[in-house]
Amino acid sequence: MIRGFTFERALSWPFTAAHAATFPWIFGAAYAGVYGLVFACIGLFAADDFTNWIALLEAAESTNNDEEQVAMVLGGVARLIPWGLMSGLISWAVWAMFETASQRRYIWDQPFRLGFGADELRMMIVGLLWAVMGLVLIGLPMVLILGTTFYTLFTDPAQFNTPGATDQLALQVLGSFGVLLLALPLYVFFATRLAPSFGLTVREKRIRFFDAWNVSRGRFWPIFGAFVILAFSGSILVQIISGIAQTLIMPSMMNLANAADGASLRAMIFSSGFMVPMGLYLFLTLFLQGLLQHVVGGPAAFAVRHDPRGGIESDAQIGAFD
């Protein structure tokens, strides 16, 4: 029997969709493996620049020349910027691969499969549009308000010695929080209405971002409620497990503070006493992160299957009477 879109079915869709017994676990393990490999490779190739930056920080602490300190710190950061950009680009592509695989399960009942082709490229564009939406609705207002405040503070600090200047600064900071409180509900509204864009892009094999508005029409609260329940409960579980794992690797982290110089720090980082517990910790946290990413995408994908303009479920229902 084919039923329609409901809050209960949207909430349970990650656990009732095809391949429920295997897909989430394979997805999480592959997510941890691929991201772990990416981070390990970048960490290996960037190890010299990273340890040199730490050495520069230590050297900067021993000098009293402020300009020299700033130059040393910025010089070390400049060498890490290319690695950060490369990491961001690769992470963006890997995210698109896993999000596409996740949506294929929800939309087409397909088993887990990773690849990089036209579907993944389209998913990267949708992810970019999603990031731009967050930047415009939340990031830009916050940057404008806080940027103006700190620009005034650092360019003309003497003015804050005048009477009432501290109160003015406090009001500007409180105003930024007020803008955030106004912008956050607006972002949540648009994010919920446009959440089906990922599944819709996979279903129609075309970039569908704003068209997701038609899929979520009249379904805001079911999609939002299901997402909040899954994200909130999942995040709590992830935090608990990650917190326990952090306590287990804390001794290995504390040993790094005893490094005398950059060479000894690198030796400690690449020792089995650090690499093994840190590798297990990263695999666990990435596994949970991937699992959470897959689960919270279920409600919006379920709405795509029940597109009011004609979805997969309605097509199957028509086919049942042919």
Side-chain angles (χ1 to χ4, degrees):
M1 178 180 178
I2 300 175
R3 294 167 292 171
F5 179 88
T6 64
F7 165 74
E8 293 79 8
R9 295 192 69 202
L11 179 63
S12 63
W13 186 238
F15 316 105
T16 57
H19 315 290
T22 58
F23 191 101
W25 314 114
I26 298 175
F27 185 94
Y31 187 97
V34 173
Y35 267 110
L37 181 61
V38 169
F39 294 151
C41 291
I42 293 178
L44 179 63
F45 291 118
D48 288 337
D49 291 331
F50 182 73
T51 53
N52 289 337
W53 178 62
I54 294 178
L56 284 173
L57 290 179
E58 295 174 349
E61 292 178 356
S62 61
T63 180
N64 296 323
N65 190 322
D66 293 340
E67 294 183 358
E68 185 178 351
Q69 284 182 341
V70 173
M72 295 173 69
V73 172
L74 293 180
V77 171
R79 299 181 63 178
L80 296 177
I81 290 177
W83 294 112
L85 294 175
M86 182 183 298
S87 177
L89 180 61
I90 295 175
S91 298
W92 180 22
V94 172
W95 167 84
M97 292 168 59
F98 279 95
E99 184 63 27
T100 303
S102 177
Q103 295 296 329
R104 286 195 185 109
R105 177 214 172 189
Y106 288 138
I107 303 301
W108 298 117
D109 298 334
Q110 292 184 5
F112 179 78
R113 175 175 61 87
L114 275 185
F116 193 84
D119 286 342
E120 287 73 19
L121 286 172
R122 286 188 288 265
M123 189 63 69
M124 290 181 68
I125 300 301
V126 174
L128 178 62
L129 293 173
W130 191 270
V132 170
M133 178 182 67
L135 179 64
V136 170
L137 294 179
I138 293 183
L140 191 58
M142 292 296 295
V143 167
L144 289 176
I145 293 178
L146 292 179
T148 302
T149 300
F150 286 106
Y151 176 80
T152 304
L153 177 63
F154 287 110
T155 55
D156 190 12
Q159 67 171 306
F160 287 94
N161 295 325
T162 60
T166 303
D167 294 339
Q168 179 183 355
L169 177 61
L171 288 174
Q172 288 179 322
V173 174
L174 289 175
S176 66
F177 285 106
V179 171
L180 179 61
L181 292 176
L182 292 175
L184 188 58
L186 185 64
Y187 171 77
V188 169
F189 174 74
F190 279 97
T192 303
R193 290 299 308 268
L194 296 175
S197 58
F198 303 105
L200 197 61
T201 297
V202 168
R203 193 191 79 177
E204 299 191 4
K205 294 188 176 298
R206 297 177 63 185
I207 297 173
R208 293 299 192 209
F209 187 69
F210 295 107
D211 194 39
W213 193 273
N214 298 314
V215 177
S216 61
R217 179 177 287 114
R219 299 170 171 178
F220 173 85
W221 290 113
I223 296 175
F224 175 72
F227 173 83
V228 168
I229 292 174
L230 293 173
F232 183 74
S233 58
S235 297
I236 291 178
L237 182 61
V238 169
Q239 291 298 321
I240 292 174
I241 298 176
S242 296
I244 296 173
Q246 285 177 10
T247 60
L248 298 178
I249 67 167
M250 192 58 65
S252 300
M253 296 294 296
M254 295 299 294
N255 290 334
L256 298 181
N258 300 324
D261 50 35
S264 59
L265 176 63
R266 181 173 181 177
M268 287 184 180
I269 291 176
F270 286 97
S271 66
S272 59
F274 178 81
M275 293 291 289
V276 172
M278 182 56 67
L280 293 174
Y281 170 74
L282 288 177
F283 184 87
L284 176 62
T285 53
L286 287 171
F287 173 83
L288 294 174
Q289 180 180 329
L291 193 62
L292 186 60
Q293 175 183 324
H294 175 63
V295 168
V296 299
F302 188 71
V304 175
R305 287 183 64 101
H306 292 269
D307 190 337
R309 301 166 300 174
I312 295 172
E313 296 291 343
S314 61
D315 293 343
Q317 191 172 14
I318 293 173
F321 291 96
D322 289 343

